[in-house]
Amino acid sequence: MALPTHIRQAPTPQELEYITGEIIVAIEPLFRMEKVRLVSGVYGPFRPPIKTRVPLWLAQSLKLKRKCRIVPPDWFTVDFLTIRLQQETSQVELSKMPFRYAEISKVLLDVAPDDIMDPDKIRILLKDIREARQAKCRSLLLGLDGSYLPTTNLCSMEISEIRLFFSRAMGIIEKLTLEAPQEDEAMSDS
């Protein structure tokens, strides 16, 4: 979204999804072609059923034209996501997830649900993981002090969501911290 810098708060989910398009994924092409030279690199050769690695935006485009099958990442399974959901609900800290898991998941579930085993279950697990992680992010923000916020294992979408609140809160805490010593000095001088 092209907004002036004083209005722009953080990247929108659509902008994060666009940025995610550069992530390399595996596809199984359904056509034959030699290597393709693009600005972002050289990809191919495309020979079914041999897998090849391409940027997500190219995989998305080929999938929409029914020219490939997208191979989901290793972490995009019911078993992996079930384990992560159990960790999210049983541990205090955030579990380790791929940095752009939310954006990749959205693209794959929107464009290639037929390439994913049990997409409805995966969609539900991702929603539950997201809700658990959002609750943990809110509790992290409650523990905000003027110098430190533990942000281990935050993902890009979560960082984008809390960025505005966090930066404003840190600004207010800084002002309060600077004003407090001045008030103490004024009281001791009286």
Side-chain angles (χ1 to χ4, degrees):
M1 183 169 12
L3 293 175
T5 54
H6 69 282
I7 295 175
R8 178 179 278 170
Q9 311 298 329
T12 65
Q14 293 82 10
E15 290 170 332
L16 291 173
E17 190 176 316
Y18 176 78
I19 293 166
T20 302
E22 291 301 319
I23 290 177
I24 303 296
V25 296
I27 63 166
E28 289 179 9
L30 301 175
F31 65 100
R32 294 180 84 56
M33 185 180 206
E34 291 305 313
K35 293 182 178 182
V36 176
R37 293 185 193 284
L38 302 173
V39 172
S40 59
V42 178
Y43 305 103
F46 300 96
R47 295 187 185 112
I50 300 170
K51 294 178 186 173
T52 189
R53 300 182 61 76
V54 298
L56 184 58
W57 67 266
L58 182 57
Q60 189 176 4
S61 177
L62 290 172
K63 178 64 182 177
L64 291 173
K65 294 174 184 175
R66 296 188 176 110
K67 298 285 186 184
C68 77
R69 182 183 160 281
I70 298 176
V71 178
D74 295 338
W75 57 266
F76 206 67
T77 64
V78 171
D79 293 338
F80 180 89
L81 295 173
T82 302
I83 291 168
R84 286 301 188 257
L85 178 59
Q86 289 171 351
Q87 290 175 351
E88 291 296 348
T89 55
S90 64
Q91 297 176 358
V92 175
E93 65 276 348
L94 292 167
S95 64
K96 181 85 172 133
M97 290 290 284
F99 185 66
R100 299 202 183 276
Y101 86 93
E103 300 93 306
I104 294 170
S105 300
K106 182 179 180 329
V107 170
L108 292 179
L109 289 169
D110 287 351
V111 174
D114 55 322
D115 294 341
I116 301 166
M117 291 188 59
D118 208 357
D120 294 330
K121 179 72 174 166
I122 287 178
R123 194 179 311 266
I124 291 167
L125 285 167
L126 286 166
K127 182 178 180 276
D128 292 344
I129 289 169
R130 181 161 164 73
E131 289 172 358
R133 290 176 72 89
Q134 283 178 331
K136 286 183 181 181
C137 286
R138 283 191 295 275
S139 67
L140 278 175
L141 291 174
L142 289 175
L144 182 67
D145 68 9
S147 61
Y148 175 71
L149 176 68
T151 56
T152 307
N153 295 332
L154 279 176
C155 297
S156 65
M157 188 71 72
E158 296 155 349
I159 292 170
S160 179
E161 289 171 347
I162 67 170
R163 177 179 288 162
L164 176 63
F165 174 80
F166 177 73
S167 60
R168 286 188 179 166
M170 290 302 282
I172 291 170
I173 289 172
E174 182 181 357
K175 285 180 185 177
L176 293 173
T177 306
L178 292 175
E179 290 174 6
Q182 293 172 356
E183 290 175 6
D184 289 343
E185 289 173 12
M187 291 177 82
S188 63
D189 290 343
S190 325

XYZ file of all heavy atoms in Angstrom, residues 54-102:
414
model
N 11.758 -23.292 -7.146
C 11.441 -21.992 -7.748
C 10.940 -21.057 -6.656
O 10.542 -21.512 -5.583
C 10.372 -22.131 -8.866
C 10.866 -23.009 -10.010
C 9.064 -22.658 -8.314
N 10.902 -19.751 -6.914
C 10.317 -18.835 -5.932
C 8.811 -19.114 -5.787
O 8.153 -19.592 -6.720
C 10.543 -17.447 -6.539
C 11.524 -17.622 -7.633
C 11.462 -19.040 -8.067
N 8.284 -18.796 -4.637
C 6.867 -19.042 -4.356
C 5.966 -18.331 -5.362
O 4.949 -18.878 -5.778
C 6.534 -18.614 -2.920
C 5.119 -18.891 -2.435
C 4.782 -20.373 -2.514
C 4.941 -18.384 -1.009
N 6.350 -17.125 -5.788
C 5.499 -16.403 -6.743
C 5.396 -17.151 -8.065
O 4.340 -17.178 -8.705
C 5.993 -14.965 -6.971
C 7.324 -14.843 -7.658
C 8.543 -14.727 -7.063
C 7.567 -14.863 -9.070
N 9.532 -14.654 -8.013
C 8.958 -14.738 -9.258
C 6.754 -14.967 -10.198
C 9.550 -14.719 -10.509
C 7.345 -14.942 -11.454
C 8.733 -14.820 -11.595
N 6.499 -17.784 -8.503
C 6.476 -18.542 -9.750
C 5.675 -19.831 -9.569
O 4.891 -20.211 -10.445
C 7.902 -18.844 -10.215
C 8.051 -19.605 -11.533
C 7.355 -18.873 -12.672
C 9.532 -19.813 -11.844
N 5.851 -20.486 -8.436
C 5.072 -21.696 -8.147
C 3.577 -21.367 -8.134
O 2.759 -22.117 -8.678
C 5.501 -22.283 -6.806
N 3.239 -20.253 -7.544
C 1.840 -19.809 -7.474
C 1.292 -19.561 -8.888
O 0.189 -20.008 -9.224
C 1.782 -18.541 -6.625
C 0.422 -18.056 -6.278
C 0.493 -16.846 -5.338
O 1.569 -16.337 -5.017
N -0.652 -16.398 -4.909
N 2.052 -18.885 -9.698
C 1.626 -18.592 -11.069
C 1.458 -19.874 -11.883
O 0.465 -20.055 -12.598
C 2.643 -17.671 -11.742
O 2.302 -17.436 -13.071
N 2.440 -20.783 -11.782
C 2.353 -22.052 -12.519
C 1.180 -22.899 -12.021
O 0.495 -23.545 -12.823
C 3.662 -22.823 -12.388
C 4.867 -22.230 -13.114
C 6.139 -22.978 -12.743
C 4.648 -22.224 -14.625
N 0.937 -22.886 -10.739
C -0.174 -23.661 -10.181
C -1.517 -23.140 -10.694
O -2.406 -23.920 -11.046
C -0.128 -23.609 -8.643
C -1.256 -24.340 -7.967
C -1.205 -25.824 -8.256
C -2.378 -26.531 -7.603
N -2.389 -27.949 -7.925
N -1.660 -21.810 -10.728
C -2.912 -21.225 -11.219
C -3.147 -21.562 -12.697
O -4.299 -21.624 -13.142
C -2.909 -19.715 -11.005
C -3.002 -19.277 -9.542
C -2.821 -17.777 -9.412
C -4.319 -19.731 -8.914
N -2.062 -21.805 -13.435
C -2.182 -22.195 -14.850
C -2.222 -23.712 -15.012
O -2.166 -24.210 -16.143
C -1.006 -21.615 -15.637
C -1.028 -20.102 -15.690
C 0.216 -19.571 -16.354
C 0.188 -18.050 -16.303
N 1.428 -17.461 -16.817
N -2.249 -24.430 -13.887
C -2.266 -25.902 -13.867
C -1.040 -26.499 -14.560
O -1.130 -27.493 -15.268
C -3.560 -26.433 -14.476
C -4.775 -26.057 -13.690
C -5.995 -26.767 -14.213
N -7.140 -26.457 -13.382
C -8.158 -25.704 -13.768
N -8.169 -25.202 -14.986
N -9.161 -25.463 -12.958
N 0.101 -25.867 -14.328
C 1.351 -26.312 -14.930
C 2.275 -27.007 -13.934
O 3.356 -27.449 -14.295
C 2.113 -25.124 -15.540
C 1.372 -24.427 -16.646
C 1.407 -25.255 -17.890
C 0.790 -24.490 -19.054
N 0.711 -25.297 -20.252
N 1.870 -27.060 -12.654
C 2.715 -27.722 -11.657
C 1.879 -28.146 -10.453
O 0.717 -27.759 -10.301
C 3.849 -26.805 -11.207
S 3.334 -25.523 -10.045
N 2.521 -28.918 -9.629
C 2.006 -29.295 -8.316
C 2.998 -28.741 -7.313
O 4.203 -28.956 -7.457
C 1.929 -30.815 -8.218
C 1.370 -31.324 -6.944
C 1.402 -32.870 -6.910
N 1.309 -33.305 -5.546
C 2.280 -33.334 -4.659
N 3.484 -32.953 -5.010
N 2.085 -33.730 -3.428
N 2.510 -27.993 -6.321
C 3.411 -27.428 -5.312
C 3.650 -28.472 -4.227
O 2.700 -29.062 -3.703
C 2.823 -26.137 -4.706
C 2.649 -25.072 -5.791
C 3.727 -25.614 -3.591
C 1.986 -23.788 -5.321
N 4.904 -28.686 -3.893
C 5.275 -29.629 -2.838
C 5.289 -28.844 -1.519
O 6.103 -27.929 -1.361
C 6.653 -30.263 -3.101
C 7.035 -31.205 -1.981
C 6.656 -30.968 -4.453
N 4.398 -29.179 -0.577
C 4.372 -28.436 0.689
C 5.678 -28.605 1.457
O 6.334 -29.649 1.361
C 3.212 -29.079 1.462
C 2.421 -29.825 0.449
C 3.375 -30.214 -0.639
N 6.074 -27.593 2.233
C 7.292 -27.713 3.042
C 7.149 -28.838 4.076
O 6.041 -29.270 4.392
C 7.394 -26.357 3.743
C 6.418 -25.462 3.090
C 5.425 -26.299 2.373
N 8.275 -29.289 4.615
C 8.271 -30.381 5.598
C 7.426 -30.061 6.824
O 6.826 -30.957 7.417
C 9.708 -30.692 6.047
C 10.555 -31.220 4.903
O 9.980 -31.738 3.923
O 11.783 -31.103 4.993
N 7.379 -28.806 7.214
C 6.646 -28.419 8.423
C 5.141 -28.291 8.175
O 4.381 -28.117 9.115
C 7.191 -27.097 8.981
C 7.142 -25.958 8.012
C 8.147 -25.568 7.190
C 6.050 -25.075 7.754
N 7.746 -24.501 6.427
C 6.461 -24.171 6.758
C 4.766 -24.953 8.266
C 5.634 -23.170 6.267
C 3.941 -23.954 7.777
C 4.382 -23.077 6.793
N 4.697 -28.417 6.958
C 3.296 -28.206 6.614
C 2.518 -29.526 6.634
O 1.896 -29.923 5.655
C 3.207 -27.530 5.243
C 1.966 -26.721 5.040
C 1.748 -25.570 5.766
C 1.015 -27.093 4.110
C 0.607 -24.811 5.579
C -0.125 -26.344 3.910
C -0.334 -25.204 4.647
N 2.598 -30.216 7.795
C 1.893 -31.482 7.964
C 1.060 -31.438 9.238
O 1.332 -30.642 10.148
C 2.883 -32.656 8.077
O 3.671 -32.478 9.260
C 3.775 -32.773 6.854
N 0.065 -32.299 9.304
C -0.791 -32.366 10.490
C 0.037 -32.752 11.708
O -0.135 -32.175 12.789
C -1.957 -33.358 10.259
C -2.729 -33.603 11.545
C -2.893 -32.841 9.166
N 0.957 -33.708 11.561
C 1.775 -34.165 12.695
C 2.631 -33.032 13.259
O 2.651 -32.789 14.470
C 2.679 -35.331 12.277
C 1.885 -36.581 11.932
O 0.740 -36.699 12.402
O 2.415 -37.422 11.185
N 3.357 -32.340 12.394
C 4.230 -31.249 12.845
C 3.408 -30.155 13.530
O 3.774 -29.670 14.599
C 5.000 -30.662 11.655
C 5.917 -29.530 12.037
C 7.221 -29.785 12.418
C 5.469 -28.215 12.023
C 8.072 -28.743 12.772
C 6.303 -27.165 12.379
C 7.612 -27.435 12.755
N 2.309 -29.753 12.909
C 1.498 -28.660 13.456
C 0.797 -29.066 14.756
O 0.616 -28.239 15.650
C 0.493 -28.172 12.413
C 1.133 -27.521 11.183
C 0.076 -27.216 10.137
C 1.904 -26.271 11.552
N 0.435 -30.338 14.892
C -0.162 -30.817 16.139
C 0.848 -30.723 17.279
O 0.521 -30.277 18.386
C -0.657 -32.269 15.979
O -1.608 -32.315 14.918
C -1.295 -32.785 17.265
N 2.092 -31.114 17.007
C 3.157 -31.005 18.015
C 3.370 -29.546 18.396
O 3.480 -29.205 19.575
C 4.462 -31.652 17.501
C 4.296 -33.163 17.400
C 5.643 -31.287 18.395
C 5.400 -33.861 16.642
N 3.408 -28.660 17.399
C 3.606 -27.227 17.686
C 2.436 -26.659 18.491
O 2.639 -25.845 19.385
C 3.784 -26.432 16.392
C 5.128 -26.631 15.750
C 6.252 -26.210 16.714
N 7.535 -26.202 16.083
C 8.457 -27.143 16.246
N 8.215 -28.168 17.022
N 9.616 -27.052 15.645
N 1.225 -27.097 18.194
C 0.067 -26.618 18.960
C 0.162 -27.080 20.413
O -0.104 -26.306 21.342
C -1.243 -27.096 18.331
C -2.515 -26.693 19.068
C -2.627 -25.179 19.174
C -3.736 -27.277 18.382
N 0.577 -28.315 20.630
C 0.758 -28.812 22.003
C 1.826 -28.001 22.725
O 1.671 -27.664 23.900
C 1.127 -30.299 21.978
C -0.002 -31.197 21.564
C 0.442 -32.638 21.329
O 1.631 -32.954 21.322
N -0.528 -33.528 21.116
N 2.911 -27.671 22.045
C 3.961 -26.852 22.650
C 3.443 -25.457 22.965
O 3.746 -24.907 24.026
C 5.173 -26.754 21.723
C 5.949 -28.029 21.589
C 7.069 -27.919 20.575
O 7.181 -26.951 19.837
N 7.905 -28.960 20.516
N 2.676 -24.876 22.064
C 2.146 -23.525 22.285
C 1.214 -23.474 23.490
O 1.192 -22.492 24.217
C 1.394 -23.008 21.048
C 2.253 -22.720 19.854
C 3.258 -21.598 20.042
O 3.178 -20.846 21.025
O 4.144 -21.485 19.197
N 0.449 -24.530 23.686
C -0.518 -24.522 24.791
C 0.075 -25.011 26.113
O -0.507 -24.757 27.162
C -1.753 -25.378 24.441
O -1.332 -26.700 24.075
C -2.526 -24.766 23.283
N 1.224 -25.668 26.073
C 1.788 -26.198 27.315
C 3.024 -25.445 27.809
O 3.395 -25.575 28.966
C 2.134 -27.681 27.141
O 3.144 -27.852 26.178
N 3.673 -24.678 26.949
C 4.887 -23.965 27.331
C 4.617 -22.472 27.438
O 3.723 -21.947 26.783
C 5.995 -24.194 26.299
C 6.436 -25.635 26.179
C 7.460 -25.815 25.065
O 7.808 -24.880 24.355
N 7.935 -27.043 24.908
N 5.438 -21.801 28.234
C 5.295 -20.359 28.407
C 5.836 -19.601 27.203
O 5.228 -18.643 26.734
C 6.019 -19.903 29.697
C 5.986 -18.405 29.843
C 5.416 -20.587 30.906
N 6.983 -20.038 26.671
C 7.600 -19.322 25.553
C 6.999 -19.781 24.221
O 6.383 -20.839 24.135
C 9.118 -19.502 25.550
C 9.609 -20.905 25.304
C 9.650 -21.785 26.545
O 9.522 -21.282 27.660
O 9.804 -23.008 26.369
N 7.214 -18.963 23.208
C 6.749 -19.294 21.866
C 7.580 -20.437 21.296
O 8.787 -20.477 21.479
C 6.875 -18.074 20.947
C 5.959 -16.894 21.248
C 6.409 -15.665 20.475
C 4.528 -17.226 20.910
N 6.922 -21.344 20.587
C 7.654 -22.445 19.961
C 8.289 -21.951 18.662
O 7.893 -20.943 18.092
C 6.722 -23.625 19.689
O 5.739 -23.271 18.751
N 9.277 -22.690 18.192
C 9.998 -22.328 16.965
C 9.140 -22.688 15.756
O 8.770 -23.831 15.563
C 11.330 -23.079 16.930
C 12.165 -22.785 15.733
C 12.990 -21.553 15.958
C 13.972 -21.380 14.825
N 13.987 -20.048 14.311
N 8.827 -21.673 14.973
C 8.087 -21.860 13.723
C 8.886 -21.173 12.614
O 9.675 -20.282 12.891
C 6.695 -21.227 13.816
C 5.723 -21.932 14.728
S 5.178 -23.518 14.105
C 4.015 -23.043 12.848
N 8.676 -21.573 11.363
C 9.335 -20.843 10.274
C 8.956 -19.360 10.338
O 7.817 -19.021 10.663
C 8.774 -21.508 9.010
C 8.375 -22.881 9.460
C 7.908 -22.716 10.871
N 9.894 -18.479 10.034
C 9.690 -17.049 10.204
C 8.477 -16.533 9.435
O 7.755 -15.672 9.897
C 10.955 -16.282 9.782
C 10.875 -14.809 10.031
C 10.807 -14.311 11.326
C 10.849 -13.919 8.968
C 10.726 -12.950 11.567
C 10.779 -12.545 9.201
C 10.706 -12.067 10.501
N 8.220 -17.053 8.269
C 7.083 -16.606 7.461
C 6.021 -17.694 7.321
O 5.359 -17.813 6.292
C 7.558 -16.143 6.094
C 8.513 -14.968 6.165
C 8.561 -14.196 4.880
N 9.521 -13.121 4.949
C 9.280 -11.924 5.469
N 8.111 -11.648 5.970
N 10.226 -11.007 5.484
N 5.788 -18.469 8.380
C 4.841 -19.579 8.297
C 3.422 -19.124 7.987
O 2.698 -19.787 7.235
C 4.877 -20.423 9.581
C 3.986 -19.921 10.692
C 2.696 -20.412 10.837
C 4.412 -18.951 11.588
C 1.865 -19.942 11.849
C 3.601 -18.481 12.585
C 2.319 -18.983 12.718
O 1.503 -18.512 13.706
N 2.983 -18.000 8.529
C 1.609 -17.543 8.324
C 1.367 -17.171 6.862
O 0.338 -17.538 6.274
C 1.301 -16.358 9.241
